[in-house]
Amino acid sequence: MKFGSTLAAAATLVVACAAADLDPIVIKGSKFFYKTNGTEFFMKGIAYQQDYSSNGTISGGTSYTDPLADQTVCARDIPLMAQLQTNTIRVYALDPTKNHDQCMQMLAAAGIYVVADLGEPTNSINRDSPQWNQAIYQRYTAVVDNLAKYTNTLGFFAGNEVTNMANNTEASAFVKAAVRDVKAYIVQKKYRPLGVGYATNDDDQRTELAQYFNCGDPSASIDFWGYNIYSWCGQSSYRESHYQERTQEFSTYNVPVFFAEYGCNTEGAREFDEVAALYGNEMTKVWSGGIVYMYYQEANDYGLVSVGSDEKATKLPDFTALASQIANVTPSGVAMSAYLPTNKPQACPRQNNLWAASEKLPPSPNNAVCSCMVQSLNCTANSDISDDDMQTNFDYLCDPNNGNYCSGILANGSTGVYGAYSMCAPKERIAWAFNAFFMDQTKNNPQNTDPCNFKGAAKKQTAKANGDCRNVVNQAGDAGTGVVTGAPTATGGSSGGSSAATTGAASALIVPGFNAGMLQMAAYITFAALIGASMVLL
């Protein structure tokens, strides 16, 4: 490309950033469409996040780099992604306190949509000790608040490979509760329709997972299904890679399905031969394209681009191979007006030794319910209680051998039994347990003259539960196992909440390890130089 044409293209993109507005993607049946012209949409995507592994972990710690908060980096990378005909990126962790206007507008100007995971390493649903609580809810809804205004936001993932083995399938109940509540939040806030889905790995529970997230009450079912699949390795084929089997399996699925990650690298340099199959006539009847893993070169050697210490991006052989394959595909679809969906939701999987998740889901996080509970207590947690003290007391009070003090705060994704306050913040949950112990000891053990102390971690207070709070507490019952209905509306990520709910470290607290199931809690240079101009125009 000549310099003059490069300059003109970059200038056009910068000007477009001033008022970039992409046609929103909508869902009809099992397909994506452009809202205005009704053309079927197929993802040609790239996973775009530095230092992030495909299983949702961060390289070298728990901090993460927001990929859409640095306009200089976006200005460097977006032209390269455009060379791959990219129309979608997947980002795994965004900071909802940061401004994403510049990068989102640059992406829109390049015709690129965003699918965003809602969690982050220290605040998401943990497969080993799953919880659906205030802190996670506020994190998820804060990301929704941050991205909902952009027309090139395609949707969100409420979880990524949370269930990955037979011994943690109960965690899916908590993810499905997240799907339910985030979908309800989008409606409550009157945002435009935005899909909420789940991304799964290719494991032995693939069938049950796909059924579970698509069955039952539509308000809790996923809007799209992402499949992280790496079965096409080296010189494979549509049949040998099991793509044919997966396509047949999802041919009756009633929401869009796509590859949320693909691009096996176990046999050396990737040729991306699977691209022709993925966008060919057999697969486009079922699949809505896919997202290549990944843009940045990391230790796992999946990169399309290497970024050096000088912050310059260099194309790798995988980039060239993918560009060649993408250039040769033109997926054809159906017009939205001519498409008549016939697929139906799945039947829920039966519980067995390979699938434990109950159809009954955890309660929705609600600050008001938890606040009412705390006000009703005679013994509560000190405001300065440490995370270590909370964990120590959880370990003791929630051990059934020591009494029944945690019924109102436990959640079990296998039995479908959830305490009314199981979704509360750790400090609120330990306050409930303190009070249960206090009430029991006061009644049954007069020799314990100071049952609300716990080495200074607890204190007495005057219980207050009036009006709506009285109704909430009465519905939950003395054991805290009742179902609270008609409670005040839950608030989202931008609405604040109790300080206990926003304690990052405390959100990871669990009950004792003795029973983990108890608490299933080349345009680059020119474009970069012109980024200052875009700042003036915006």
Side-chain angles (χ1 to χ4, degrees), residues 32 43-47 88 90 92 115 157 198-200 202 224-232 238 241-247 250 256-264 274-275 277-279 283 286-293:
F32 291 114
M43 291 183 185
K44 293 181 179 178
I46 297 176
T88 307
R90 178 183 179 183
Y92 294 85
V115 179
F157 282 127
Y198 178 75
T200 182
D202 186 22
F224 53 75
W225 185 250
Y227 199 6
N228 301 341
I229 182 168
Y230 294 87
S231 61
W232 188 307
Y238 179 52
S241 65
H242 302 291
Y243 278 23
Q244 184 177 36
E245 290 179 46
R246 303 290 87 82
T247 300
F250 283 97
V257 294
F258 57 93
F259 287 2
E261 292 175 3
Y262 76 94
C264 173
E274 67 266 45
V275 167
L278 179 59
Y279 297 100
M283 294 190 70
V286 175
W287 301 93
S288 296
I291 297 171
V292 171
Y293 188 81

Side-chain angles (χ1 to χ4, degrees), residues 13 17 20 22 48 67-68 74 77-79 81 86-89 91 100-114 152 527:
L13 185 54
C17 286
L22 275 186
Y48 183 61
L68 302 183
C74 289
D77 294 338
I78 291 171
M81 290 190 282
T86 304
N87 65 12
T88 307
I89 61 170
V91 293
H100 299 107
D101 288 352
Q102 301 295 328
C103 286
M104 289 298 289
Q105 288 168 348
M106 282 187 270
L107 287 165
I112 298 175
Y113 295 85
V114 174
N152 58 326
F527 187 56

